[in-house]
Each structure stands twice: as C-alpha cells, then as structure tokens.
C-alpha cells in the first residue's frame, strides 16, 4: 500500500554512504494505480510538496548545499585539482553531491555541476580564475558568432554531466530525489556575451537593445539547449529540475518580459519531463510572480526580497513556492536562525490560507564558503521541527 511520510527519520547506508531517509507507514493516500510504477522518490517530501500534497513536515534543501563551507568538500576539491576537474569527474561529482546528506537530514540532493556547462559545450571555453569566478576564452562578440552556435550533443560534449547524474542516482538512497539544473537562457547569455561576471551587464544589455533580433536568436538556441539538457538529466535519473534565472532581476520590467520571461515559459511548456517537476528560481523575480505562476512550472523559487506570505497569496495555489531565507541569517546564532526559520514558515502559511502545503524551504540564494556547518544543521532541524510542530498544533 502506498503511504505518505510520517515523522520517523532514520539513517540508511548504501555502499557505505549514509543518507537520511524517512520511513513509510500505512497512512492512506488517494488511490493511484500508477504509484507502484513510480520511483520511491515520487512519494518523497519534496516531490509531494511540489505537487502541493500533504507532507509530515516542510521539505528543505539548500542551494550550494555541496560547497566550500564543508571541510570534506575542500578536501575533495584539492584532490581533483580544480573546480572544473571536480565537476567533470563523475565519481568525484557524486562524492561531493552526497557529502551534505551525510551531515544533514536534507530532503533532496542536487547535482554538483555548474550553470555554465552549456556555453562551454558550445565552444566558448570555460575557465575559472581564483577570486574572479568563471570566464570564457571565446565570448560572443558579433552577430556572426551567434549564427555559429548550435545545441550541443548531450551524449558527447555533456556526457560527463549525464554520467554524474547516473552515478549519483545509483549511490543515493532511492527514496531521496535528485535535482538536476540549468542556468536560464538570459543568465547564460549574460556570461556568453560579457565573457565573465559583470557589475552592470552592459555588453549584453547593449546587444539586446541594439540588435534585438540577434539577441532573440541567441536566446532561442540557448533555450533549445537548456530544454535538451534538462531532458537528458531527467532521462539519466534526475527527478526534479530547476532553472536558475540568477540575473533576470537585473533587467527592467520591459526587458524582463521580452528577454527572460518568454524563454522561461518556453522551457516550462516544451520540456517533456513526465513526473519530474520543474522549479523556476529567480533572484529579483518578485514583480513577475503572477506571470511566472502561469508559465506551466510546478514550483517557483523566490529570494528574500519578497515575503513568503505575499508570494503565496499572489501565486494563489497555482504553484508550489520555494524559499526564501536570506543566506546572511546563517551568520547569526543558532537560536536566531531558528526564530527566522519559524517566521518564514509562518509567513508562508499566512499567505496560503493557514496551510503549509506547497512550500519547499530553501535560502533566497546559495550558501557562502565562510558559513558554519553547525548553523546549517540548526537551520535544517528548525525547518523540520517547526513545520511538524505547526501541523500537530
């Protein structure tokens, strides 16, 4: 009999790798003849929440949950020799993906990779400079450069990503969902044109304004690539997919609606993902929540510049809402973190008719290297305890 999760956290080992799981019990769920054909992760907290179904407590995962704040990650990265060497080694990428789940009872794993794998596979030559972030050897500098771009072969240029997904899915507790991801078309275009990060994204905005047809051509081929890339990750074993629209919020409303929103909507509507829910995350996306909720996505990730109460009310039950604690709160004490977590949980419920269904807890952006693992542990514990207590109350 299919059941829903109840609050009995256990720890399972798979090939010596410990991850936190939850027991199933005979709690009735609506009849569904297809449940027997689904993977165990289909009935996980995260996937149920993304379907706006009842869960025993709010699921939580964190952007950059595998990263430099963990000493074991730093050791594995040193072993690899560089960030790119780490990301392109499926076995080591699997190792760092699983590291945070050994420490914390997180409700999902997220593929360890980088958002710039697609432009790298298109031939732009990704490399990293310590203290400066990602750069491209051959950024887009002309309309002719755009005309040469093509969707990469997922089985050749991006095979290392799919091999990592398959390896992680093999080693991960089958009841825990694996999240695959991509950068958004606009965010990828930003790096492809600028050649690196930027304070104002002046080059890419100038291209959009001076050569709008060329920009739409660029965004079109990148969107085709993102759809193929996410589809390949899903086929390799990812059960949830997220698009990071990191720089969409830097656009004016008119430019956002022309150069970001239509391409996010294309992904949501054209990506054949079967039972894999899609989350659209965007920094600074608060002005566009109603439009994003109508895109066809199942989840909408928001940052800390909008309250969860407001986000829940404005999306009106059309999508699950993910977020949105300010990452800087993790520099506070564990008690202060717990208070802020509870305030976020209560804010979502206030905007969702008193219910916490349809909420996935996350930060409004990623963890930073100087954050303390003990504070991350306090956050995860506070989410589970605080949301379970609300239900019991």
């Amino acid at each position: 009999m299919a059941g829903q999760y109840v609050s009995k956290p256990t720890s399972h080992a798979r090939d010596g790798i410990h991850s936190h799981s939850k027991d199933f019990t005979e709690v009735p769920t609506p009849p569904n003849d297809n449940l027997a054909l689904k993977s165990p992760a289909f009935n996980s907290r995260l996937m149920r929440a993304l379907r706006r179904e009842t869960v025993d407590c709010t699921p939580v995962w964190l952007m950059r949950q595998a990263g430099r704040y963990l000493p074991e990650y730093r050791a594995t990265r040193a072993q690899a020799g560089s960030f790119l060497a780490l990301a392109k080694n499926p076995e080591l990428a699997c190792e760092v993906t699983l590291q945070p789940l050994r420490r914390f009872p997180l409700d999902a794993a997220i593929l360890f990779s980088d958002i710039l794998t697609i432009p790298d596979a298109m031939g732009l030559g990704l490399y990293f400079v310590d203290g400066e972030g990602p750069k491209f050897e051959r950024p887009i500098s002309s309309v002719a450069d755009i005309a040469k771009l093509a969707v990469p072969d997922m089985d050749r240029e991006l095979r290392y990503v799919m091999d990592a997904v398959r390896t992680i899915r093999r080693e991960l507790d089958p009841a825990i969902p694996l999240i695959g991801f991509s950068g958004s078309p606009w965010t990828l275009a930003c790096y492809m044109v600028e050649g690196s990060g930027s304070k104002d994204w002046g080059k890419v905005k100038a291209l959009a304004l001076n050569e709008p047809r060329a920009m739409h051509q660029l965004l079109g081929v990148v969107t085709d690539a993102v759809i193929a890339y996410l589809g390949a990750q899903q086929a390799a074993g990812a059960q949830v997919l997220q698009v990071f629209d990191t720089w969409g919020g830097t656009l004016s409303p008119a430019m956002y609606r022309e150069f970001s929103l239509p391409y996010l909507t294309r992904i949501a509507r054209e990506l054949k993902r079967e039972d894999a829910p899609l989350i659209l995350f965007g920094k600074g996306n608060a002005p566009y929540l109603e439009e994003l909720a109508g895109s066809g996505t199942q989840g909408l990730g928001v940052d800390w510049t909008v309250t969860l109460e407001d986000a829940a009310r404005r999306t009106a039950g059309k999508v699950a809402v993910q977020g949105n604690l300010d990452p800087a709160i993790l520099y506070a004490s564990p008690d202060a973190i717990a208070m802020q977590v509870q305030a976020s949980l209560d804010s979502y419920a206030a905007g969702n008719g008193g219910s916490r269904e349809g909420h996935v807890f996350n930060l409004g952006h990623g963890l930073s290297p100087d954050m303390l693992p003990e504070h991350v542990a306090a956050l995860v514990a506070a989410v589970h305890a605080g949301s379970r207590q609300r239900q019991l109350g």
Side-chain angles (χ1 to χ4, degrees), residues 115-231:
I115 64 168
L116 298 179
T117 50
I118 288 175
D120 184 42
M122 287 178 161
L124 273 66
L126 177 65
Y127 68 102
F128 286 81
V129 176
D130 287 342
E132 297 183 26
K135 294 180 178 291
F136 284 116
E137 296 173 0
R138 296 172 291 279
I140 300 295
S141 60
S142 68
V143 174
D145 288 341
I146 296 172
K148 296 175 186 176
L149 296 174
V151 175
D153 187 322
M154 300 298 148
D155 291 326
R156 189 169 66 246
E157 288 93 350
L158 288 163
R159 182 181 180 88
Y160 69 93
V161 176
M162 308 315 151
D163 285 345
V165 172
R166 284 186 280 267
T167 302
I168 297 162
R169 188 63 275 169
R170 184 184 70 232
E171 299 297 331
L172 182 64
D173 184 325
I176 296 177
L178 172 62
I179 303 169
F181 70 92
S182 173
S184 72
W186 172 257
T187 293
L188 297 183
C190 284
Y191 289 101
M192 293 170 75
V193 174
E194 299 283 344
S196 65
S198 171
K199 292 182 179 180
D200 57 14
W201 304 106
K203 290 181 183 178
V204 69
K205 290 180 181 180
L207 177 63
L209 294 170
N210 295 334
E211 301 280 355
R213 288 185 63 185
M215 176 54 74
H216 284 298
Q217 183 180 359
L218 172 58
L219 292 168
V221 70
V222 172
T223 300
D224 291 341
V226 168
I227 291 171
Y229 185 56
L230 291 174

Side-chain angles (χ1 to χ4, degrees), residues 1-184:
M1 176 180 174
Q4 72 182 45
Y5 283 135
V6 298
S7 54
K8 294 182 180 178
T10 60
S11 181
H12 296 275
R14 187 174 176 84
D15 298 330
I17 296 173
H18 293 270
S19 59
H20 296 267
S21 181
K22 298 94 189 168
D23 287 338
F24 283 108
T25 65
E26 299 298 313
V27 178
T29 57
N32 186 338
D33 293 338
N34 293 325
L35 277 178
L37 304 177
K38 310 292 186 185
S39 73
F42 180 81
N43 211 34
S44 63
R45 282 179 184 150
L46 176 64
M47 295 186 73
R48 290 180 68 89
L50 288 169
R51 297 192 299 268
R52 295 187 58 85
E53 296 174 359
T54 301
V55 290
D56 67 308
C57 60
T58 299
V60 54
W61 70 276
L62 304 171
M63 288 180 274
R64 293 194 200 134
Q65 65 187 32
R68 287 177 288 171
Y69 75 103
L70 292 176
E72 55 267 41
Y73 169 89
R74 297 194 295 271
T76 307
R77 180 169 170 172
Q79 176 188 347
S82 71
F83 173 84
L84 269 183
L86 177 57
K88 292 188 174 185
N89 182 314
E91 295 295 331
L92 293 182
C94 174
E95 164 62 19
V96 295
T97 296
L98 297 175
Q99 285 171 351
L101 278 84
R102 296 182 187 137
R103 278 185 176 260
F104 318 117
L106 293 158
D107 292 294
I110 181 168
L111 166 69
F112 180 80
S113 188
D114 190 79
I115 64 168
L116 298 179
T117 50
I118 288 175
D120 184 42
M122 287 178 161
L124 273 66
L126 177 65
Y127 68 102
F128 286 81
V129 176
D130 287 342
E132 297 183 26
K135 294 180 178 291
F136 284 116
E137 296 173 0
R138 296 172 291 279
I140 300 295
S141 60
S142 68
V143 174
D145 288 341
I146 296 172
K148 296 175 186 176
L149 296 174
V151 175
D153 187 322
M154 300 298 148
D155 291 326
R156 189 169 66 246
E157 288 93 350
L158 288 163
R159 182 181 180 88
Y160 69 93
V161 176
M162 308 315 151
D163 285 345
V165 172
R166 284 186 280 267
T167 302
I168 297 162
R169 188 63 275 169
R170 184 184 70 232
E171 299 297 331
L172 182 64
D173 184 325
I176 296 177
L178 172 62
I179 303 169
F181 70 92
S182 173
S184 72

